């Protein structure tokens, strides 16, 4: 039986993407996307949960993402879920990311003057190691 690792997200970008290059000179662009779930609890109250997804694009797509995707943009990202580990402050950390294959800009949404993004939340601080520590 074949297996499948495919993810398709639609959400708002939390901060402007950050682009760097690999040791081999290939572009890498990273950003976070917020997705939101709403439901009614047993008490009848509306509940809400925002999930932040780390997204990474490599190569020519990384350059395109950097050009067209900005904070508060509604995007669709297709890709696969990848895990990796790295060391920071002597602690080995495990990170799950979406390795993007394709993206589509669906709409742009203005941010408030105080820099707060979609859903009234600030994007989480990325706990991403420097590029020279990336296992690529």
């Amino acid at each position: 039986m074949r297996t499948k690792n495919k993810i398709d997200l639609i959400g708002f970008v939390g901060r402007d993407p950050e682009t760097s290059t690999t040791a081999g000179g290939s572009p890498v662009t990273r950003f976070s996307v917020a997705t939101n779930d709403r439901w009614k609890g047993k008490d009848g109250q509306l509940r809400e949960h925002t999930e932040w997804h780390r997204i990474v694009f490599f190569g020519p797509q990384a350059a395109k993402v950097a050009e067209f995707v900005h904070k508060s943009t509604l995007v669709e990202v297709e890709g696969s879920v990848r895990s990796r580990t790295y060391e920071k402050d002597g602690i080995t950390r495990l990170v799950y990311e979406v390795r993007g294959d394709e993206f589509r800009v669906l709409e742009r949404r203005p941010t408030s003057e105080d820099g707060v993004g979609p859903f009234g939340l600030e994007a989480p601080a990325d706990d991403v190691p420097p590029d020279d520590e990336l296992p690529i």
Side-chain angles (χ1 to χ4, degrees):
M1 175 177 228
R2 292 182 60 181
T3 64
K4 188 175 191 176
N5 180 359
K6 191 74 170 166
I7 188 166
D8 185 11
L9 298 170
I10 295 176
F12 288 98
V13 176
R15 67 178 71 208
D16 285 334
E18 296 178 7
T19 301
S20 59
T21 56
T22 64
S26 180
V28 179
T29 300
R30 289 187 162 74
F31 59 99
S32 295
V33 169
T35 57
N36 200 15
D37 290 321
R38 292 186 180 123
W39 69 95
K40 261 191 189 173
K42 291 181 182 179
D43 59 0
Q45 294 292 321
L46 186 63
R47 307 271 186 223
E48 188 171 355
H49 173 75
T50 300
E51 190 71 41
W52 288 95
H53 309 272
R54 296 170 187 241
I55 313 293
V56 60
F57 277 87
F58 293 91
Q61 283 287 77
K64 289 180 183 176
V65 166
E67 182 179 351
F68 294 107
V69 175
H70 305 285
K71 180 178 181 175
S72 297
T73 301
L74 181 65
V75 295
E76 179 178 13
V77 174
E78 292 181 23
S80 58
V81 177
R82 300 283 180 102
S83 65
R84 64 179 172 85
T85 58
Y86 67 94
E87 291 246 350
K88 183 176 180 180
D89 301 326
I91 299 171
T92 300
R93 299 172 189 256
L94 173 66
V95 176
Y96 289 94
E97 298 173 319
V98 174
R99 184 167 183 174
D101 295 324
E102 295 182 33
F103 76 97
R104 277 172 286 297
V105 173
L106 303 176
E107 77 177 44
R108 297 190 191 281
R109 182 169 142 178
T111 59
S112 64
E113 289 180 20
D114 62 2
V116 176
F119 312 119
L121 299 173
E122 188 68 35
D126 284 332
D127 191 13
V128 176
D131 288 329
D132 58 347
E133 293 181 26
L134 293 176
I136 52 175

